[in-house]
Amino acid sequence: MDFCSIASGSSGNCIFAGTDNTGILIDAGISGKRIEQGLNSIGRKSAEISGILVTHEHSDHIKGLGVIARKHHIPIYATPGTIREIKRSGLGTIDEGLYREIHADEPFDLGDLSIEAFEISHDAVEPVAYRVSDGSRSVAVVTDLGVYTDYTIRHLQGLNAVLLESNHDVNMLQVGRYPYYLKQRILGNRGHLSNETAGQLLCEILNDKLKGIFLGHLSQENNYEELAYQTVCAEVTLGDNPYKSGDFPIKVAHRDRPSDLLTV
């Protein structure tokens, strides 16, 4: 299975996963042009995408959704609450026939992929993360969650690759220019994972089959790539687990360009 972050960050998110026969996008929070260019860079085309899985309705996850769905008649998979909010978001008219309701913990098939949505704690209406499998390999995209639980960990066991939120450095956020209410939102249980917390969650899901780890959804104001990388690596190396950070290829997903294509 192929796995690639076309863009990941507080300004826009779009992830590709797929086999030779089926390709999907998880979120479409960048322009249709950038999505097309990103897919072309890994030998794919927007017209070949079988579905777009939407995690939630915030603009950095749906900004390009209307354009690309309308242009290529791509089905949109999302929870009922997310679909309702997409329709209210000002993306323009999207054919009702393109919407596909999905529900957390109710797996469904899309081509030769099996997909499972699972709940996350975020200040959106009905947000989910996604785990995608081709029957022998599994990848997951889990961003935009303020806390993780045993439930989260269970859904991330045995992965071959993961894109995991590493949104902010707590100290940078606390002394930064954001207003108090926004700082509290980000730090709260329905906000975003810090670098440290991302590393702690990663320690819970490490396994010998894990071939790729991407740190994603970095804040443009309150984080930077090297800091996220070093903090997560320190948590893994010093954590209560049998691994060291050097045992795995850990990379930061870029906000402005695709990551390297990973095949697992």
Side-chain angles (χ1 to χ4, degrees):
M1 182 168 13
D2 289 339
F3 191 49
C4 179
S5 169
I6 296 173
S8 184
S10 56
S11 54
N13 299 271
C14 182
I15 317 299
F16 172 85
T19 63
D20 290 341
N21 301 313
T22 306
I24 61 169
L25 296 178
I26 299 175
D27 289 330
I30 57 176
S31 71
K33 181 179 179 180
R34 286 184 62 196
I35 292 172
E36 187 73 58
Q37 291 173 338
L39 287 171
N40 290 347
S41 74
I42 59 171
R44 305 276 181 159
K45 297 179 180 179
S46 298
E48 299 170 349
I49 295 298
S50 300
I52 304 171
L53 314 181
V54 181
T55 59
H56 64 292
E57 71 274 9
H58 291 165
S59 64
D60 57 323
H61 296 263
I62 65 167
K63 194 180 306 176
L65 180 63
V67 170
I68 191 170
R70 281 190 295 267
K71 182 176 181 180
H72 299 291
H73 304 285
I74 303 172
I76 298 166
Y77 294 79
T79 60
T82 299
I83 289 174
R84 184 172 65 250
E85 294 304 309
I86 290 172
K87 293 177 179 179
R88 296 173 176 172
S89 65
L91 291 179
T93 302
I94 298 174
D95 186 347
E96 282 288 334
L98 293 179
Y99 288 109
R100 309 283 194 275
E101 282 194 3
I102 58 98
H103 300 272
D105 301 315
E106 294 183 8
F108 62 97
D109 293 332
L110 183 50
D112 57 3
L113 297 176
S114 177
I115 299 163
E116 185 171 7
F118 57 97
E119 296 175 0
I120 52 175
S121 178
H122 192 54
D123 59 350
V125 172
E126 197 177 357
V128 292
Y130 290 99
R131 179 179 180 130
V132 181
S133 174
D134 67 357
S136 60
R137 299 288 187 269
S138 296
V139 302
V141 175
V142 54
T143 66
D144 298 76
L145 65 167
V147 293
Y148 67 88
T149 65
D150 289 343
Y151 166 88
T152 316
I153 294 169
R154 286 198 306 273
H155 283 82
L156 298 175
Q157 293 299 307
L159 291 170
N160 299 102
V162 63
L163 187 143
L164 176 65
E165 176 170 62
S166 189
N167 177 255
H168 61 275
D169 174 78
V170 173
N171 290 330
M172 285 184 68
L173 176 62
Q174 289 176 331
V175 303
R177 63 178 185 174
Y178 279 6
Y180 177 77
Y181 80 88
L182 183 54
K183 293 179 181 181
Q184 293 304 107
R185 168 187 172 259
I186 294 169
L187 291 168
N189 287 350
R190 301 181 71 221
H192 294 277
L193 291 186
S194 69
N195 295 333
E196 290 86 356
T197 310
Q200 292 160 13
L201 174 53
L202 186 56
C203 287
E204 300 283 356
I205 65 173
L206 294 173
N207 70 86
D208 291 341
K209 299 187 297 181
L210 198 51
K211 304 302 181 186
I213 299 163
F214 293 101
L215 306 179
H217 210 291
L218 271 66
S219 167
Q220 192 165 11
E221 292 284 339
N222 302 302
N223 211 353
Y224 55 92
E225 290 188 7
E226 187 62 24
L227 178 58
Y229 174 80
Q230 294 293 348
T231 304
V232 170
C233 285
E235 290 289 341
V236 170
T237 297
L238 299 175
D240 184 16
N241 68 84
Y243 301 104
K244 305 298 182 185
S245 62
D247 296 334
F248 303 93
I250 302 175
K251 299 182 179 181
V252 178
H254 308 296
R255 70 174 57 253
D256 57 353
R257 64 189 187 277
S259 66
D260 294 335
L261 177 67
L262 176 66
T263 300
V264 297

